[in-house]
């Protein structure tokens, strides 16, 4: 259902009033949606006309007087029947998990009292000199190796000039034309589409800015005033710049997730997006398929999860595509937009007139950075197992791909799983418990696998008791809550015996239970023998109920089938 809406407003180029018209398609949510087939109109009002487009639902109404160009009515601009393709690149900022900041001795610690982890160096006081943290270089080299980059054994630092309240020096120490790592690649897995290689153009070292805290609102807009916490100023960062190789929000989310996994597996960052340890700025452009040039690049920020990043990209692609189809390519301007999670849309933060002039020049207070052969060799030798290598190893155990992806999504889950295998557990059985009941418990309690009181050896013992027939899977689920509280860490079998839950596997006891179930349910026996095979489950349920779940299910099924034959 569509509706044509008209209203008057003042032209922002002159004092005259003009009529606005826009076509909306109404959805079941009773919210207006733009009708892209009628997205652009030129409507005359006296000697005035106005261009109106569906972008009004994206937060900016067009009120441009076009009287000089179109004194008479013109036909609506027809929607172009062409295919548009998006191009997406990502700049990922990774906070390094060093003990101190990049160029001074202040603590690098999140959540401290505001403006306490500061000193004259990171506050940019006159007469101070930065000193490079060696661990920052070590982490950068390891990250570059993990991303298959070429390591520059001679690089340098530069001053990047810009003026924000949260940048106390008035410049940022970064790397411009000679980054420490470049020309890398990352393999990502896309559900249903297989593998894809994403290029990494560069990885460089820089320092973080402070953090603006807005009072009275979640963002600068609407706030009464803003304060600045400089604890974050000078915290070491790696900026990882991808190539423009992605073409959907799903691919971008897969890339971001893999970058996070790699950094956490390396131990160089905790990857906590909620705390800002890993932040992604996304560049999105849309152009006609086969065009020689990319479309206008829009930067999107303020996404604190990969799910939100995917939604923001998909929204921005749809927004730009709608404007292009309506013949309004001029309305797509180079700008920075923010993602509004509540409204599920992007909105303008600031326009960009062109490329920013950061006036880079070599940092005069830091010498060139040299990575010698010994340092590079030592870094290679100390590399841990990476996500792709762990996935390959788990696949060799015969685990399904979905199980492998879950077990390698978090470094601690893999460490726990490996410990369970080391204790002698069957891989598939252990994976089932870890991916199912234990993961559900962790989500419910909002804890990680590393915070579990359950020891890997206890889980391995429980799996072995089930495999050997000492307890049933049902008993396993019954005792798992106790195990998760650490009550089985001194012996799962002892706990089972104490609770009287050892599985009954004595043939005579099983036969007696089966006879009792048949004797007490003659009507069901008659129905079963007359062809109602589904009643077999009824008898099994009766036996398990009488045994309080302790009867060996395999033996029960075998004996019951024989007895029901008559």
């Amino acid at each position: 259902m569509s509706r044509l809406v008209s209203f008057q407003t003042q032209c922002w180029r002159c004092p005259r009033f003009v009529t606005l018209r826009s076509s909306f398609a109404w959805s079941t949510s009773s919210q207006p949606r733009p009708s892209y087939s009628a997205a652009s109109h030129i409507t005359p009002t006296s000697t005035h006309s106005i261009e109106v487009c569906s972008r009004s639902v994206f937060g900016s109404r067009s009120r441009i007087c076009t009287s000089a160009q179109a004194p008479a009515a013109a036909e609506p601009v027809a929607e172009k029947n062409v295919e548009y393709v998006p191009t997406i690149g990502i700049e990922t900022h990774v906070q390094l998990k060093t003990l101190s900041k990049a160029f001074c001795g202040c603590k690098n610690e999140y959540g401290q009292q505001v403006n306490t982890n500061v000193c004259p160096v990171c506050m940019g006081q006159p007469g101070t000199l930065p000193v490079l943290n060696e661990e920052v270089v070590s982490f950068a080299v390891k990250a570059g190796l993990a991303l298959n980059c070429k390591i520059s054994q001679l690089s340098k630092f530069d001053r990047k000039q810009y003026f924000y309240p949260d940048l106390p020096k008035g410049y940022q120490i970064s790397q411009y034309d000679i980054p420490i790592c470049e020309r890398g690649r990352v393999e990502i897995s896309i559900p249903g589409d297989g593998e894809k290689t994403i290029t990494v153009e560069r990885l460089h070292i820089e320092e973080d800015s402070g953090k603006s805290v807005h009072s009275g609102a979640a963002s600068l807009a609407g706030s009464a005033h803003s304060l600045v916490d400089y604890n974050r100023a000078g915290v070491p960062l790696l900026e990882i710049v991808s190539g423009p190789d992605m073409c959907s929000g799903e691919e971008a989310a897969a890339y971001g997730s893999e970058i996070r996994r790699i950094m956490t597996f390396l131990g160089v960052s905790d990857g906590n997006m909620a705390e800002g340890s890993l932040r992604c700025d996304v560049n999105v452009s849309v152009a006609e398929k086969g065009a020689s040039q990319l479309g206008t690049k829009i930067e999107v920020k303020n996404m604190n999860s990969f799910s939100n990043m995917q939604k923001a990209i998909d929204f921005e692609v749809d927004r730009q595509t709608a404007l292009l189809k309506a013949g309004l390519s001029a309305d797509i301007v180079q700008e920075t937009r923010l993602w509004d999670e509540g409204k599920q849309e992007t909105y303008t933060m600031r326009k960009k007139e062109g490329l920013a002039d950061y006036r880079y020049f070599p940092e005069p207070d830091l010498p060139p950075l040299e990575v010698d052969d010994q340092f590079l060799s030592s870094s290679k030798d100390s590399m841990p197992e990476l996500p792709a290598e762990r996935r390959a190893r788990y696949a060799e155990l015969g685990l399904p791909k979905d199980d492998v992806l879950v077990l390698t999504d978090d470094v601690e889950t893999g460490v726990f799983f490996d410990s369970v295998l080391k204790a002698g557990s069957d891989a598939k059985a252990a994976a089932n418990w870890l991916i199912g009941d234990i993961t559900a418990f962790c989500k419910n309690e909002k804890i990680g696998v590393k915070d579990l009181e359950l020891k890997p050896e206890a889980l391995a013992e429980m799996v072995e008791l089930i495999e050997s027939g000492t307890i049933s899977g049902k008993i396993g689920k019954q005792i798992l809550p106790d195990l998760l509280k650490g009550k089985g860490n001194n012996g799962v079998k002892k706990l089972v015996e104490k609770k009287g839950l050892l599985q009954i596997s004595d043939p005579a006891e099983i036969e007696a239970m089966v006879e009792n179930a048949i004797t007490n349910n003659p009507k069901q026996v008659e129905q079963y023998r007359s062809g109602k095979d589904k009643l077999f489950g009824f008898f099994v349920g009766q036996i398990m109920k009488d045994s309080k779940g302790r009867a060996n299910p395999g033996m029960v099924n075998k004996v019951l089938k024989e007895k029901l034959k008559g």
Side-chain angles (χ1 to χ4, degrees), residues 68 76 105 107 197 205 256 261 275 399 435 445 487 491 511 518:
K107 285 184 178 179
T197 300
I205 300 168
R261 276 190 287 269
E275 295 179 358
L399 295 174
I435 293 170
E445 297 295 317
K487 293 183 179 181
E511 187 171 344
I518 291 175

Side-chain angles (χ1 to χ4, degrees), residues 197-218:
T197 300
I198 307 298
T199 59
V200 174
E201 292 186 348
R202 58 184 284 149
L203 176 154
H204 64 261
I205 300 168
E206 61 185 24
E207 60 180 339
D208 211 341
S209 62
K211 182 178 181 180
S212 296
V213 181
H214 307 295
S215 177

Side-chain angles (χ1 to χ4, degrees), residues 178-190:
I178 310 178
I180 190 170
C181 306
E182 57 186 344
R183 299 198 301 274
R185 68 184 185 280
V186 177
E187 302 291 335
I188 64 171
S189 179
I190 306 163

Side-chain angles (χ1 to χ4, degrees), residues 31-42:
Q31 296 295 322
R33 289 185 177 179
S35 175
Y36 296 145
S37 61
S40 177
H41 303 269
I42 300 178

Side-chain angles (χ1 to χ4, degrees), residues 52-194:
V52 184
C53 72
S54 62
R55 65 192 172 127
S56 58
V57 300
F58 299 118
S60 61
R61 292 187 177 90
S62 174
R63 296 187 288 116
I64 305 173
C65 173
T66 58
S67 58
Q69 302 172 17
E75 292 297 320
V77 177
E79 180 180 314
K80 293 183 179 180
N81 186 25
V82 296
E83 184 178 354
Y84 293 94
V85 293
T87 302
I88 300 158
I90 300 178
E91 298 170 6
T92 307
H93 297 85
V94 181
Q95 277 189 358
L96 299 182
K97 199 167 58 175
T98 55
L99 295 177
S100 59
K101 293 185 180 181
F103 302 107
C104 67
C106 292
K107 285 184 178 179
N108 176 16
E109 193 171 1
Y110 179 83
Q112 298 301 296
Q113 181 67 28
V114 298
N115 293 319
T116 54
N117 291 346
V118 295
C119 73
V121 176
C122 57
M123 291 297 290
Q125 296 298 312
T128 59
L129 291 173
V131 178
L132 178 59
N133 185 335
E134 183 179 353
E135 194 171 27
V136 172
V137 181
S138 176
F139 283 179
V141 170
K142 286 183 178 180
L145 292 171
L147 297 174
N148 304 292
C149 289
K150 176 185 178 297
I151 310 299
S152 300
Q153 292 192 251
L154 185 64
S155 61
K156 67 181 179 69
F157 289 96
D158 301 275
R159 287 190 182 183
K160 180 181 181 181
Q161 319 283 335
Y162 61 96
F163 302 97
Y164 287 164
D166 53 12
L167 195 66
K169 298 176 185 176
Y171 64 85
Q172 177 189 42
I173 299 178
S174 182
Q175 293 186 302
Y176 178 46
D177 53 335
I178 310 178
I180 190 170
C181 306
E182 57 186 344
R183 299 198 301 274
R185 68 184 185 280
V186 177
E187 302 291 335
I188 64 171
S189 179
I190 306 163
D193 291 332

Side-chain angles (χ1 to χ4, degrees), residues 472-541:
S472 64
K474 185 176 181 180
I475 295 297
K477 285 184 176 289
Q478 190 174 333
I479 65 170
L480 184 61
D482 288 326
L483 299 185
L484 290 168
K485 295 176 182 177
K487 293 183 179 181
N489 290 340
N490 293 323
V492 178
K493 189 172 183 179
K494 290 180 182 179
L495 178 66
V496 172
E497 290 174 341
K498 182 180 179 181
K499 289 180 170 289
L501 295 175
L502 286 175
Q503 185 165 263
I504 299 171
S505 298
D506 181 85
E509 287 189 65
I510 296 293
E511 187 171 344
M513 293 178 189
V514 172
E515 290 285 1
N516 187 53
I518 291 175
T519 301
N520 293 336
N521 299 281
K523 182 178 178 180
Q524 285 79 5
V525 171
E526 183 179 347
Q527 290 174 337
Y528 177 84
R529 288 173 176 170
S530 65
K532 293 188 176 182
D533 297 341
K534 291 183 179 179
L535 283 171
F536 187 84
F538 166 79
F539 292 105
V540 172

